[in-house]
C-alpha cells in the first residue's frame, strides 16, 4: 500500500514417512526488508517467535564474507536478497506450516518501483500461488509483470522466459483500475516443470509507477503519522563532474574487466555536453588518464577516453587507499580551481573494485582507509562504491560511501556486471537537485525521519515520514528547499491534515488490503527511523553518539517487532521424542539472527539514493521516541515575505498609477493601446541593465461602455542584462525563468527560486515578486484569473513597482520616467488657454463648477488633471489620484508610439535620449 509492502509467506510441508525427519524452510527476502513475524505450526502445535534485543555485541569483522552459514540462521546471499532458513524436525505422518511476514519500503529507481517475490520452493509443488495487491494513493500510470528473473542459481535451467516468450510468466492474471491492481501467478506442476524442474523458478517481479503532481509531492496521513513522497520531474539537468576510479588488479582479468569496459563505453556515450570527467585506474600502481584536470565532453576527449579504456590491462595487487586518494585529490583540486563556475554542478566519484586491499593500507575493514577517504573527500562531493563478486570487503565499501553521501551497490559473481553497472550509473547519472531540505510546521511534528538529502537524481524519490503532535493544528505547512543548477528552489504548501487522513482512510476502506495495512504510515515511519538509526550508528564519531543511535534503533525495532541487526529472533522449536512424538514441554530456545549479520554492508546500502552529509547529520541525533524533535524552518515562507508596496503600477485595462515620492501626490492615466502592441514600462538598460516590457491582448468592451475595446497585459518580461543576461517571462499561467538553464514554474504553486542574479517568489495564483542583483527589489506582478469570465474579461497581469532602489536616475519607460521626477501640483485660472483643450470647465461632485483648474507641473510642461478614484491590488485598496486625460498627452515624454517596442525582449534605449533633469 502506497509503496510500503507487507509480504506474508505460508509454506506447508507434509512428512509422508512414519519416522520423524528434518524439514527445511528457506525463503529469499529483499535485503532492505525487515522480518516482522515468524511462526511455525508443527504437528498441530503453534511455535511462535519473539524478537528481543541482542545481549552481546557482534564482531565487527567478517560480515557476509566469513563463510560460516550456520543452520538456523539466515544466510547471506549475493545481490539484493537474503536467505532466511529454518530447519525443524517434523514427526512422522505429520504436517508443518511455516508463516513468515516481512515489510519493506519500495525504492524508486529509474522511474519505477519494483516489487520482488522469491518463487523457489526447492521442488515442484502441487499448489503454488503468488498474489500481489497494489493499493496506491495516486493513479497507477505504468504496470508491468516481468518474466521470471533468476539470480545466481546455476543449477536452474529457468531463463526467466516461459516458452521462450518475453512477457509475464505463464498463468499470470492482472486485474486493475486507476489506483488498485491485483496480480496472481498460479502455475500448475506442468507449467512449473517447463520453467525449472527443481522448483527454483526465480523471482516474480512487478514494476509500476504512479502519477505525480507538480509541486510539493504526495502526503498521506493516518493514525497520527504522515509520510511525504517527493519526486519532482521536468527539472533541468544539473551538470556533473565525475571521476571513475577502476580496479585493474590481476583478479579483474577475464569476464570482470570485459564487462566493466563494456559498461564504461556505454556510460561514455551518455555523458552530457556540460559534464566533466576523468579516469583513475589502480592496482599496485595508480594511473590517471588526464593528470591534474577533468576534461569536458568533446568528440576528441571521448575518442581518447575510449582508447584509454580499451588499453586497460589487469595486473598486480589492489591499492584501494591509493586509488581513492588519487581520485579524490583530482576532483578536489579541480573543484577548488573552478569554484566560481562549478558551484552549481554535482560532483561524484564512482569507485569500482572486486577485492580487498592487498597493497598499501591493507587492514580490512580498515578504519585507516575510511578516515583517509573522509579527509580526502572533505564533504565536497559524493562517493559511490561498487563491489564485484565474492571477495569484496562490502563493509569497507559501505562505510566509505555512507560517510561520503553516496551509496554502495553489489554485483554478484555470475551476474551481468555490464548491465548492472550501466543500471547503477543511470540511477545517479542525471542529477536534478542538490542539498535538499524538507521541513514541516514546528508545532505540528514531533519526530521526522531523515529530511536532509545531498542529491536528488532523476527517476528516484525522497521519502520523509513523521509523527504528528497530539495538539497539532489541522494544517501542516510543508517546505522543500533545494539547489537546482544555479538557483535555490523553495516549494511550499499548507495541507489539511484532516482531509489527507480522510482520503487515506477512504482508500484503505475501498480495498481489502489486509489487517496490517491500517497502521501502514506509522510502520513506515518506524521502518525509516530504524534505518536512520543504523546509518547514524555507522557514521557516529563518539561512543556516546554510537550508543544513542543504537538505543534508538533497538527501541524502535522492538516496538515494531522488526528483526534487524540489533535484535534477535527467539524461535521455540518442537522437540521430538525417540518414539517420534512431540515432547510435551519446551525448554530450549534457539536464537535466530537477522539478515544480514550485524554490521554487514548491504543492510544499509539500498536505503537511499543519497545520504545526509556528516556535517549536517551530526546535529540530527535521534531522540527517544517520546521526545520532541522539531523540524525547524531555515527559510521564511513566501507568503510572509514583506515587500513594501508603492502604488506605482499598471493594472487592469490598463490603468497607470504613479506615486510621486517627492511631492507626496499620486497621479494616474490610461493608455488605450492596440492588442498585440508591446509597451516599454521600465528601461534602465545603460545603468542597472534592467528592462520591463508588457504585451497587450484585447477583449470587447462591456455593453454601454464608451470604449470600443479593452486591453490587458497578457505577458510581462523582465530582462536583466547585468552582470550577465537573464530574463523572466510571466503569463497568468506560468513563469519562465532563464539564466543559464531555462525553468518553467506554474503560477498555481507557491515556489521560491534564487539564482545568481534573480530571486523569484510566487504565491500560488496570487502574485510574483522579483528581486534583481539582490538590491533591486521592486517588481510585483499580480495574477488575475477568472473562473467564469464575461466576454470583456481576460486572464491578465498587473505590474507594480514596490521599490525603485537600484534603478538609476536615467530610468525611463511609461512608468520608469516618473520614478525620480519631481512633479508639482498647481492651480490654473479659468481663463487659462489650456482650458480650451479640455473643452469645458471640469465639474466635480454635484454641479460644483470650478473657476480654476488643478494641473501637474512635469519638467517644462503643464498638464490639467481631475480627481479620480482608482482600485488597485485586485480591488483591495482604493486610492485618490490626479487623472490626466487624452492618453496621457503631455504627461509622458513624447508620444504613445515612442513606447511601442518590436518584441518582448527588446532592450533598446528611450528614443529621445535620457530622462534629463
Amino acid at each position: 500500500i502506497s509503496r510500503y509492502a507487507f509480504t506474508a509467506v505460508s509454506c506447508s510441508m507434509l512428512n509422508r514417512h512414519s519416522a520423524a525427519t528434518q524439514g527445511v524452510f528457506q525463503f529469499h527476502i529483499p535485503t532492505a526488508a525487515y522480518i516482522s513475524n515468524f511462526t511455525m505450526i508443527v504437528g498441530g502445535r503453534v511455535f511462535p517467535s519473539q524478537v528481543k534485543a541482542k545481549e552481546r555485541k557482534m564482531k565487527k569483522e567478517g560480515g557476509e564474507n566469513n563463510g560460516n552459514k550456520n543452520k538456523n540462521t539466515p544466510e547471506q546471499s549475493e545481490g539484493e536478497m537474503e536467505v532466511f532458513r529454518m530447519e525443524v524436525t517434523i514427526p512422522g505422518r505429520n504436517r508443518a506450516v511455516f508463516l513468515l511476514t516481512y515489510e519493506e519500503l519500495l525504492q524508486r529507481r529509474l522511474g519505477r518501483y519494483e516489487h520482488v517475490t522469491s518463487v523457489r520452493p526447492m521442488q515442484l509443488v502441487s499448489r503454488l500461488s503468488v498474489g500481489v495487491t497494489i493499493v496506491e494513493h495516486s493513479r497507477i500510470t505504468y504496470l508491468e509483470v516481468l518474466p521470471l528473473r533468476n539470480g545466481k542459481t546455476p543449477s536452474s535451467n529457468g531463463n526467466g522466459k516461459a516458452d521462450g516468450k518475453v512477457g509475464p510468466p505463464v498463468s499470470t492474471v492482472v486485474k486493475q483500475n486507476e489506483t488498485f491492481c491485483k496480480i496472481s501467478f498460479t502455475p500448475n506442476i506442468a507449467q512449473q516443470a517447463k520453467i525449472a524442474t527443481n522448483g527454483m523458478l526465480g523471482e516474480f517481479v512487478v514494476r509500476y509507477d504512479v502519477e505525480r503532481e507538480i509541486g510539493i509531492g504526495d502526503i498521506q496521513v493516518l493514525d497520527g503519522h504522515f509520510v511525504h513522497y517527493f519526486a519532482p520531474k521536468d527539472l533541468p539537468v544539473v551538470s556533473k563532474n565525475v571521476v571513475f576510479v577502476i580496479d585493474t588488479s590481476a583478479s579483474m582479468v577475464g569476464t570482470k574487466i570485459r564487462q566493466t569496459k563494456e559498461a564504461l563505453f556505454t556510460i561514455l556515450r551518455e555523458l552530457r555536453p556540460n559534464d566533466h570527467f576523468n579516469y583513475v585506474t589502480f592496482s599496485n600502481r595508480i594511473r590517471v588518464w588526464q593528470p591534474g584536470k577533468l576534461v569536458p565532453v568533446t568528440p576528441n576527449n571521448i575518442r581518447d577516453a575510449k582508447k584509454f579504456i580499451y588499453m586497460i590491462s589487469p595486473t598486480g595487487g589492489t591499492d584501494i587507499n591509493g586509488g581513492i586518494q588519487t581520485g579524490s585529490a583530482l576532483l578536489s583540486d579541480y573543484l577548488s580551481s573552478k569554484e566560481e563556475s562549478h558551484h552549481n554542478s554535482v560532483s561524484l566519484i564512482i569507485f569500482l573494485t572486486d577485492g580487498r586491499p592487498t597493497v598499501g593500507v591493507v587492514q580490512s575493514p580498515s578504519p585507516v582507509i575510511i578516515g583517509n577517504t573522509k579527509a580526502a573527500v572533505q564533504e565536497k562531493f559524493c562517493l559511490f562504491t561498487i563491489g564485484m563478486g565474492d571477495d569484496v570487503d562490502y563493509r569497507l565499501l559501505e562505510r566509505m560511501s555512507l560517510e561520503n553521501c553516496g551509496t554502495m551497490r553489489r554485483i554478484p559473481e555470475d551476474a551481468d556486471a555490464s548491465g548492472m553497472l550501466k543500471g547503477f550509473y543511470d540511477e545517479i547519472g542525471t542529477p536534478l537537485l542538490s542539498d535538499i531540505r524538507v521541513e514541516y510546521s514546528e508545532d505540528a511534528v514531533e519526530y521526522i525521519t531523515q529530511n536532509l538529502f545531498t542529491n536528488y537524481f532523476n527517476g528516484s524519490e525522497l521519502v520523509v515520514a513523521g509523527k504528528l503532535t497530539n495538539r497539532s493544528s489541522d494544517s501542516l505547512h510543508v517546505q522543500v528547499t533545494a539547489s537546482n543548477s544555479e538557483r535555490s528552489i523553495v516549494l511550499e504548501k499548507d495541507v489539511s491534515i484532516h482531509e489527507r487522513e480522510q482520503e487515506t482512510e477512504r482508500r484503505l476502506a475501498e480495498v481489502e488490503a489486509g489487517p496490517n495495512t491500517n497502521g501502514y504510515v506509522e510502520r513506515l515511519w518506524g521502518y525509516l527511523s530504524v534505518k536512520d538509526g543504523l546509518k547514524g550508528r555507522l557514521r557516529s564519531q563518539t561512543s556516546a553518539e554510537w550508543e544513542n543511535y543504537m538505543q534508538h534503533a533497538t527501541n524502535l525495532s522492538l516496538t515494531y517487532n522488526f528483526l534487524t541487526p540489533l535484535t534477535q529472533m527467539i524461535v521455540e522449536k518442537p522437540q521430538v521424542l525417540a518414539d517420534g512424538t512431540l515432547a510435551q514441554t519446551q525448554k530450549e530456545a534457539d536464537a535466530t539472527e537477522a539478515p544480514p549479520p550485524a554490521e554487514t554492508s548491504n543492510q544499509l546500502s539500498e536505503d537511499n539514493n543519497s545520504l545526509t552529509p556528516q556535517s549536517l547529520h551530526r546535529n540530527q541525533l535521534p531522540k527517544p521516541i517520546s521526545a520532541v524533535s522539531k523540524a525547524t524552518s531555515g527559510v521564511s515562507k513566501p507568503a510572509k515575505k514583506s515587500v513594501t508596496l508603492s502604488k506605482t503600477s499598471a493594472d487592469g485595462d490598463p490603468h497607470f498609477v504613479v506615486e510621486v515620492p517627492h511631492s507626496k501626490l499620486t497621479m494616474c492615466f490610461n493608455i488605450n493601446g492596440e492588442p498585440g502592441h508591446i509597451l516599454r514600462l521600465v528601461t534602465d538598460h545603460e545603468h542597472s541593465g534592467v528592462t520591463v516590457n508588457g504585451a497587450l491582448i484585447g477583449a470587447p468592451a462591456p455593453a454601454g461602455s464608451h470604449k470600443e475595446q479593452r486591453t490587458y497585459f497578457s505577458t510581462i518580461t523582465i530582462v536583466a542584462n547585468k552582470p550577465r543576461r537573464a530574463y523572466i517571462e510571466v503569463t497568468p499561467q506560468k513563469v519562465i525563468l532563464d539564466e543559464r538553464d531555462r525553468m518553467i514554474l506554474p503560477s498555481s504553486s507557491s515556489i521560491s527560486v534564487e539564482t545568481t542574479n534573480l530571486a523569484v517568489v510566487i504565491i500560488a495564483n496570487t502574485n510574483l515578486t522579483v528581486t534583481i542583483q539582490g538590491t533591486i527589489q521592486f517588481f510585483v506582478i499580480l495574477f488575475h484569473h477568472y473562473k467564469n469570465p464575461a466576454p470583456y474579461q481576460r486572464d491578465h497581469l498587473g505590474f507594480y513597482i514596490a521599490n525603485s532602489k537600484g534603478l538609476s536616475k536615467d530610468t525611463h519607460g511609461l512608468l520608469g520616467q516618473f520614478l525620480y521626477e519631481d512633479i508639482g501640483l498647481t492651480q490654473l485660472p479659468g481663463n487659462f488657454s489650456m482650458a480650451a483643450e479640455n473643452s469645458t470647465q471640469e465639474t466635480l461632485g454635484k454641479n460644483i463648477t470650478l473657476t480654476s483648474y488643478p494641473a501637474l507641473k512635469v519638467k517644462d510642461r503643464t498638464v490639467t488633471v481631475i480627481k479620480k478614484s482608482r482600485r488597485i491590488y485586485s480591488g483591495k485598496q482604493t486610492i485618490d489620484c490626479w487623472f490626466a486625460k487624452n492618453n496621457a498627452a503631455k504627461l509622458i515624454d513624447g508620444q504613445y508610439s515612442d513606447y511601442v517596442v518590436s518584441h518582448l525582449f527588446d532592450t533598446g534605449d528611450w528614443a529621445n535620449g535620457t530622462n534629463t533633469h
Side-chain angles (χ1 to χ4, degrees):
I1 174 150
S2 291
R3 288 82 117 179
Y4 192 65
F6 296 85
T7 303
V9 182
S10 166
C11 175
S12 179
M13 295 183 195
L14 175 64
N15 178 7
R16 298 181 187 277
H17 305 286
S18 54
T21 189
Q22 287 290 101
V24 179
F25 169 70
Q26 183 174 299
F27 196 82
H28 294 240
I29 69 164
T31 303
Y34 290 145
I35 290 172
S36 53
N37 187 36
F38 177 69
T39 303
M40 296 185 295
I41 305 169
V42 181
R45 286 199 10 225
V46 178
F47 296 87
S49 66
Q50 196 179 356
V51 171
K52 289 187 173 180
K54 279 187 179 166
E55 291 173 16
R56 58 195 169 83
K57 288 178 185 167
M58 300 296 290
K59 286 183 187 174
K60 293 200 173 184
E61 296 80 33
E64 68 271 35
N65 301 302
N66 57 17
N68 299 321
K69 295 181 177 177
N70 304 321
K71 63 179 182 178
N72 302 336
T73 63
E75 293 183 3
Q76 181 84 17
S77 91
E78 294 78 7
E80 296 184 25
M81 302 293 273
E82 315 292 346
V83 179
F84 177 88
R85 179 185 169 94
M86 182 61 66
E87 284 187 29
V88 69
T89 305
I90 306 173
R93 313 276 184 213
N94 259 295
R95 189 179 292 275
V97 179
F98 301 88
L99 304 167
L100 173 74
T101 61
Y102 60 86
E103 300 173 25
E104 64 177 319
L105 176 65
L106 301 184
Q107 264 200 297
R108 189 167 184 256
R109 288 187 186 156
L110 303 176
R112 306 280 185 259
Y113 302 104
E114 188 172 281
H115 184 272
V116 179
T117 311
S118 173
V119 189
R120 295 182 174 92
M122 300 194 292
Q123 63 185 60
L124 297 175
V125 292
S126 58
R127 286 198 303 276
L128 174 64
S129 74
V130 179
V132 181
T133 303
I134 299 171
V135 183
E136 275 295 337
H137 196 251
S138 308
R139 189 169 69 86
I140 296 169
T141 55
Y142 168 88
L143 179 71
E144 180 187 15
V145 181
L146 274 60
L148 285 173
R149 186 167 71 190
N150 266 289
K152 187 185 171 189
T153 49
S155 60
S156 168
N157 62 5
N159 62 354
K161 297 174 187 179
D163 302 322
K165 295 175 191 166
V166 176
V170 63
S171 82
T172 302
V173 177
V174 180
K175 295 176 181 172
Q176 75 173 116
N177 61 26
E178 280 208 336
T179 59
F180 170 83
C181 75
K182 202 158 195 161
I183 300 159
S184 64
F185 171 55
T186 51
N188 59 32
I189 283 194
Q191 290 167 329
Q192 292 170 47
K194 280 188 176 178
I195 301 166
T197 53
N198 61 358
M200 306 292 273
L201 277 65
E203 291 165 357
F204 185 77
V205 183
V206 178
R207 281 193 189 146
Y208 75 96
D209 198 22
V210 297
E211 195 166 56
R212 284 161 215 292
E213 292 176 21
I214 294 175
I216 207 76
D218 180 16
I219 293 168
Q220 298 168 29
V221 179
L222 194 66
D223 301 330
H225 293 76
F226 73 89
V227 58
H228 179 188
Y229 299 99
F230 181 64
K233 54 182 184 177
D234 301 332
L235 294 169
V237 175
V238 180
S239 61
K240 61 185 176 294
N241 312 306
V242 58
V243 175
F244 298 90
V245 181
I246 308 297
D247 185 343
T248 56
S249 60
S251 57
M252 287 285 288
V253 77
T255 306
K256 286 180 183 173
I257 199 68
R258 178 180 57 77
Q259 291 187 320
T260 300
K261 286 182 177 184
E262 281 174 16
L264 289 174
F265 283 135
T266 310
I267 289 166
L268 201 52
R269 288 198 296 272
E270 297 191 359
L271 289 170
R272 292 186 172 83
N274 292 332
D275 294 344
H276 289 73
F277 70 107
N278 203 342
Y279 297 95
V280 174
T281 60
F282 68 95
S283 52
N284 42 356
R285 65 180 280 242
I286 314 285
R287 286 188 63 203
V288 180
W289 169 50
Q290 297 276 1
K293 60 184 174 181
L294 266 68
V295 300
V297 176
T298 64
N300 285 353
N301 286 337
I302 295 292
R303 183 197 64 209
D304 293 347
K306 284 180 179 172
K307 284 185 198 167
F308 177 79
I309 294 166
Y310 182 77
M311 296 301 289
I312 290 173
S313 177
T315 179
T318 308
D319 184 359
I320 284 180
N321 188 63
I324 204 71
Q325 291 294 308
T326 304
S328 299
L330 188 68
L331 187 49
S332 191
D333 291 349
Y334 172 75
L335 292 175
S336 301
S337 66
K338 305 277 185 185
E339 203 160 331
E340 185 51 42
S341 58
H342 286 280
H343 71 281
N344 58 317
S345 56
V346 166
S347 302
L348 41 114
I349 285 181
I350 297 177
F351 178 88
L352 180 143
T353 183
D354 77 327
R356 297 162 177 272
T358 60
V359 178
V361 181
V362 296
Q363 305 102 298
S364 178
S366 172
V368 177
I369 293 179
I370 291 165
N372 289 351
T373 302
K374 196 162 172 50
V377 172
Q378 294 179 326
E379 298 177 3
K380 291 181 181 175
F381 44 87
C382 294
L383 170 63
F384 294 84
T385 57
I386 302 163
M388 294 177 81
D390 291 340
D391 190 38
V392 178
D393 184 348
Y394 283 108
R395 174 169 166 66
L396 172 63
L397 296 189
E398 175 75 42
R399 288 290 301 271
M400 284 166 61
S401 60
L402 191 60
E403 294 202 359
N404 297 288
C405 73
T407 52
M408 188 206 71
R409 191 59 52 83
R410 309 166 76 191
I411 298 181
E413 190 71 45
D414 295 344
D416 169 18
S418 176
M420 289 185 78
L421 277 170
K422 171 68 174 57
F424 182 56
Y425 175 79
D426 285 346
E427 288 178 36
I428 60 174
T430 311
L432 299 182
L433 295 173
S434 59
D435 301 322
I436 305 104
R437 178 186 289 266
V438 190
E439 294 173 314
Y440 309 91
S441 331
E442 284 184 40
D443 57 346
V445 296
E446 207 170 2
Y447 180 80
I448 54 171
T449 59
Q450 180 186 345
N451 66 324
L452 307 171
F453 304 91
T454 311
N455 295 306
Y456 165 72
F457 297 103
N458 190 37
S460 66
E461 180 173 64
L462 306 180
V463 184
V464 183
K467 197 172 182 180
L468 298 165
T469 56
N470 295 332
R471 63 185 184 284
S472 66
S473 62
D474 183 48
S475 180
L476 179 67
H477 183 75
V478 186
Q479 178 174 280
V480 181
T481 58
S483 297
N484 162 350
S485 196
E486 293 187 340
R487 53 192 119 248
S488 325
I489 295 178
V490 179
L491 303 169
E492 33 184 282
K493 191 173 186 178
D494 289 302
V495 298
S496 164
I497 293 170
H498 183 61
E499 276 177 26
R500 296 290 166 121
E501 183 150 34
Q502 281 187 322
E503 196 176 337
T504 308
E505 286 171 348
R506 182 177 57 78
R507 184 80 62 214
L508 282 175
E510 283 174 3
V511 295
E512 293 173 16
N516 276 335
T517 53
N518 287 340
Y520 83 91
V521 178
E522 180 180 348
R523 294 192 72 83
L524 191 161
W525 171 77
Y527 172 95
L528 285 178
S529 298
V530 171
K531 297 277 184 191
D532 284 356
L534 289 167
K535 283 182 219 155
R537 179 189 61 155
L538 278 183
R539 268 203 308 265
S540 56
Q541 303 292 304
T542 65
S543 56
E545 216 177 314
W546 185 88
E547 186 56 46
N548 194 357
Y549 280 119
M550 277 277 289
Q551 199 56 52
H552 177 70
T554 302
N555 290 345
L556 284 165
S557 300
L558 294 173
T559 301
Y560 296 102
N561 210 54
F562 288 150
L563 184 54
T564 71
L566 305 179
T567 54
Q568 58 187 349
M569 185 175 277
I570 308 300
V571 184
E572 185 184 344
K573 293 175 73 175
Q575 297 303 301
V576 180
L577 302 174
D579 62 1
T581 61
L582 286 177
Q584 290 301 302
T585 57
Q586 171 61 43
K587 304 262 185 192
E588 197 177 308
D590 294 327
T592 294
E593 288 158 11
E599 302 282 348
T600 63
S601 62
N602 213 36
Q603 181 67 25
L604 304 177
S605 66
E606 305 302 332
D607 290 0
N608 283 324
N609 281 335
S610 52
L611 297 167
T612 311
Q614 182 68 37
S615 60
L616 294 176
H617 206 85
R618 243 177 250 158
N619 305 321
Q620 298 273 317
L621 289 181
K623 314 285 189 295
I625 301 174
S626 58
V628 174
S629 172
K630 293 183 176 177
T632 51
S633 176
V635 184
S636 60
K637 306 172 193 176
K640 293 186 179 174
K641 272 196 186 280
S642 62
V643 178
T644 312
L645 296 178
S646 75
K647 302 178 184 72
T648 301
S649 59
D651 205 346
D653 187 12
H655 302 310
F656 287 71
V657 174
V658 177
E659 194 174 35
V660 184
H662 299 291
S663 324
K664 293 185 178 170
L665 59 84
T666 305
M667 60 184 194
C668 47
F669 56 95
N670 290 350
I671 292 289
N672 298 320
E674 292 295 322
H677 278 182
I678 295 162
L679 303 184
R680 170 68 42 76
L681 300 176
V682 177
T683 178
D684 190 27
H685 180 68
E686 278 297 308
H687 300 278
S688 64
V690 173
T691 304
V692 183
N693 298 322
L696 295 174
I697 51 168
S705 169
H706 63 281
K707 285 188 171 187
E708 289 179 16
Q709 65 175 1
R710 286 187 156 199
T711 51
Y712 303 96
F713 285 120
S714 63
T715 308
I716 289 172
T717 54
I718 301 172
V719 181
N721 265 0
K722 296 181 180 180
R724 61 166 175 266
R725 186 176 171 86
Y727 73 82
I728 296 169
E729 182 179 348
V730 187
T731 72
Q733 283 70 42
K734 66 187 178 203
V735 178
I736 299 172
L737 176 57
D738 195 313
E739 187 155 341
R740 272 187 180 170
D741 293 315
R742 183 177 163 91
M743 189 171 193
I744 301 174
L745 309 169
S747 66
S748 57
S749 295
S750 293
I751 304 173
S752 170
V753 177
E754 199 170 316
T755 70
T756 329
N757 214 7
L758 302 169
V760 171
V761 179
I762 302 174
I763 306 301
N765 294 321
T766 307
N767 63 47
L768 163 76
T769 308
V770 179
T771 308
I772 298 178
Q773 297 164 15
T775 55
I776 309 174
Q777 183 191 12
F778 66 132
F779 299 123
V780 175
I781 295 172
L782 300 192
F783 301 109
H784 296 287
H785 295 112
Y786 297 97
K787 281 186 179 172
N788 299 298
Y792 56 88
Q793 292 173 322
R794 299 284 298 271
D795 284 359
H796 65 281
L797 303 170
F799 174 75
Y800 291 70
I801 299 179
N803 183 350
S804 56
K805 182 183 172 187
L807 292 173
S808 77
K809 300 282 186 194
D810 291 331
T811 301
H812 211 269
L814 280 169
L815 284 174
Q817 64 187 292
F818 300 112
L819 294 177
Y820 296 98
E821 194 62 68
D822 204 347
I823 297 172
L825 181 68
T826 184
Q827 293 289 329
L828 298 177
N831 60 359
F832 187 72
S833 61
M834 278 188 71
E837 289 184 22
N838 290 336
S839 64
T840 59
Q841 291 181 325
E842 295 291 346
T843 303
L844 281 180
K846 296 182 179 177
N847 304 320
I848 303 170
T849 304
L850 296 178
T851 52
S852 65
Y853 299 87
L856 296 174
K857 292 281 289 177
V858 185
K859 294 184 184 169
D860 55 356
R861 307 188 293 271
T862 306
V863 187
T864 56
V865 288
I866 59 171
K867 200 74 172 276
K868 275 203 174 183
S869 285
R870 281 269 186 265
R871 293 173 76 80
I872 57 174
Y873 300 136
S874 303
K876 288 176 185 168
Q877 195 178 334
T878 303
I879 53 157
D880 291 324
C881 58
W882 295 104
F883 178 72
K885 298 179 73 174
N886 300 334
N887 235 18
K890 293 198 174 179
L891 181 67
I892 57 174
D893 292 337
Q895 335 261 324
Y896 163 79
S897 58
D898 296 333
Y899 297 89
V900 178
V901 296
S902 59
H903 58 86
L904 274 164
F905 301 95
D906 187 330
T907 56
D909 288 329
W910 162 240
N912 299 328
T914 59
N915 186 17
T916 50
H917 294 269

